Amino acid sequence: MSSVRPWRDIERRKSRQIMVGNVPVGGDAPITVQTMTNTPTEDAAATIDQIRRCEDAGADLIRVSCPTEEATASFAKIARAARVPLIADIHFHYKRALEAADAGAACLRINPGNIGSDERVAEVVRAAKANGCAIRIGVNAGSLEKDLLEKYGEPCPEALIESALDHIKLLQDHDFHEYKVAVKASDVFLAVAAYHGLAETVDCPLHLGITEAGGLIGGTVKSSIGIGSLLWAGIGDTIRVSLSAEPEQEVKVGFEILKGLGLRTRGVRVVSCPSCSRQGFDVIRTVEALENRLEHIKTPMSLSVLGCVVNGPGEARETDIGITGGGNGKHMVYLSGVTDHHVQSADMLDHIVELVEAKAAEIEANMIDAGKATEVAE
């Protein structure tokens, strides 16, 4: 059945579903957002504190590096404290994977071909199966195998895909199928082409990312182009926005990408103008303040903040709450798309925050009532 607005439709690639702890990835499950801690894993308190900030920002999954035996020892305490499933990041040393699996990892990020003999791969698979761990194969253009570089001459989509298929085969040979795959590159064109090729070749969930994307602004732009174009094409089951910024910023950007494509909704979606000399209030500073003060709202809803009446009324019709700038410090407030009342500049910020909080509470109450009604009907 066609939708009312077919130009907004995204047909997701059909992938099989795996579980990362209690979080489903792939199939028809929501696209998950993940990030990675950057504190020394040996410092459990600092890592848990960072994980808590990421959880509050909405992270569904969080990856933690386990480069040493001390790190995996600390990982056990960290995993017990985390409210979301943790992924242990393993490179080269297979024993760290065994320790992390026993310590409570929900998933192991590892390239089977990098950890040595077939017996070592078998040991990791046994540990993963015994502990209910998934595995994420992480192919990266910056660390491709030497034989593939010699074969193709440089990192290219075919090389990344072949590397992924080689690693997949190692797991399948040991009858392990709870895996997801990434083929990342810092080159947006390379990464997108590799993901498109891989998506046509395998049925497993795909982890999207543009690696080494850059700082907060540059990395956000590159990630939005790369991850966004793939999601728009229906490719991708979990995403990580790689930024030289605090991990919680990665989570926020990830959700904004999903919200922009209508794939997930969380918190307040702000529609605002870039401001101009027509503005009746300082739009830039107002939006900045509102975004900070409304971070605690998790309920999906929309807020339009427009400086003048040129586009203000039109945008307000499409949002739950709207504010449009007027003359003499007197601004129009819209509720559910309808003009409702005026507010003075001095009271505007507090008033909008109160309206959003009240609307969020109303939406939550309606959701609870709807749930009870469903239970009664059943």
Side-chain angles (χ1 to χ4, degrees):
M1 186 169 67
S2 61
S3 66
V4 176
R5 299 179 180 88
W7 62 88
R8 291 184 182 175
D9 292 347
I10 293 176
E11 185 177 349
R12 278 182 69 183
R13 159 185 170 268
K14 291 179 173 58
S15 68
R16 55 188 174 80
Q17 189 174 98
I18 67 169
M19 296 298 296
V20 178
N22 61 354
V23 175
V25 177
D28 58 358
I31 296 165
T32 56
V33 176
Q34 57 182 279
T35 185
M36 185 174 182
T37 58
N38 57 30
T39 50
T41 306
E42 293 83 357
D43 187 341
T47 304
I48 291 168
D49 182 61
Q50 193 172 74
I51 285 172
R52 202 65 78 225
R53 295 198 302 273
C54 295
E55 290 170 336
D56 290 342
D60 301 297
L61 303 167
I62 299 174
R63 183 154 47 111
V64 178
S65 290
C66 290
T68 65
E69 190 173 354
E70 292 76 20
T72 49
S74 180
F75 186 91
K77 180 179 180 180
I78 296 167
R80 287 194 297 272
R83 297 194 293 255
V84 301
L86 298 188
I87 300 163
D89 192 70
I90 311 295
H91 285 280
F92 304 116
H93 208 302
Y94 81 103
K95 285 190 177 180
R96 301 293 84 82
L98 306 181
E99 295 159 0
D102 290 339
C107 180
L108 304 173
R109 188 278 187 198
I110 193 167
N111 285 347
N114 292 349
I115 60 173
S117 66
D118 185 65
E119 179 49 38
R120 288 183 176 181
V121 175
E123 281 194 62
V124 171
V125 168
R126 281 196 293 270
K129 286 182 176 180
N131 291 282
C133 291
I135 288 178
R136 198 262 279 188
I137 293 170
V139 174
N140 193 305
S143 55
L144 274 174
E145 295 88 334
K146 288 182 179 179
D147 63 317
L148 291 176
L149 285 175
E150 291 174 0
K151 177 179 178 179
Y152 290 99
E154 64 174 2
C156 61
E158 293 78 12
L160 269 66
I161 294 167
E162 185 170 333
S163 176
L165 295 177
D166 288 344
H167 292 303
I168 287 172
K169 185 176 185 304
L170 289 173
L171 295 182
Q172 290 180 335
D173 286 347
H174 292 282
D175 195 28
F176 190 87
H177 306 282
E178 298 298 300
Y179 59 82
K180 50 195 174 82
V181 182
V183 281
K184 295 185 179 183
S186 60
D187 181 321
V188 175
F189 297 94
L190 172 56
V192 170
Y195 275 112
H196 272 281
L198 188 64
E200 295 175 357
T201 309
V202 299
D203 69 345
C204 63
L206 297 183
H207 166 119
L208 302 188
I210 305 299
T211 194
E212 288 97 37
L216 182 57
I217 295 178
T220 294
V221 171
K222 284 182 68 175
S223 296
S224 298
I225 294 169
I227 295 173
S229 68
L230 287 165
L231 292 172
W232 201 337
I235 297 169
D237 304 286
T238 183
I239 67 173
R240 190 261 173 116
V241 177
S242 298
L243 301 175
S244 300
E246 293 303 318
E248 57 266 36
Q249 296 295 336
E250 297 186 347
V251 178
K252 293 174 185 178
V253 173
F255 267 101
E256 288 300 323
I257 293 172
L258 292 174
K259 284 160 67 175
L261 289 168
L263 292 169
R264 279 189 74 174
T265 54
R266 182 185 190 275
V268 182
R269 178 176 63 85
V270 177
V271 177
S272 62
C273 66
S275 80
C276 70
S277 61
R278 293 191 304 267
Q279 64 184 355
F281 57 87
D282 189 336
V283 172
I284 294 173
R285 247 56 63 183
T286 299
V287 170
E288 197 173 74
L290 286 171
E291 286 181 336
N292 288 332
R293 292 183 60 178
L294 296 175
E295 279 192 344
H296 66 290
I297 302 292
K298 309 296 187 280
T299 310
M301 59 183 300
S302 54
L303 167 67
S304 57
V305 182
L306 280 293
C308 76
V309 297
V310 173
N311 292 320
E315 293 293 354
R317 282 196 294 270
E318 304 298 323
T319 54
D320 294 305
I321 296 170
I323 180 82
T324 295
N328 302 316
K330 188 178 181 181
H331 316 299
M332 177 58 71
V333 176
Y334 301 77
L335 301 180
S336 300
V338 179
T339 55
D340 193 82
H341 60 276
H342 289 87
V343 64
Q344 295 292 329
S345 293
D347 305 317
M348 184 174 64
L349 274 177
D350 289 342
H351 186 62
I352 294 299
V353 170
E354 289 170 6
L355 288 174
V356 169
E357 290 175 338
K359 184 65 177 180
E362 177 191 332
I363 293 171
E364 290 294 327
N366 289 338
M367 290 171 65
I368 292 171
D369 290 342
K372 288 179 180 177
T374 301
E375 289 176 9
V376 170
E378 291 174 349

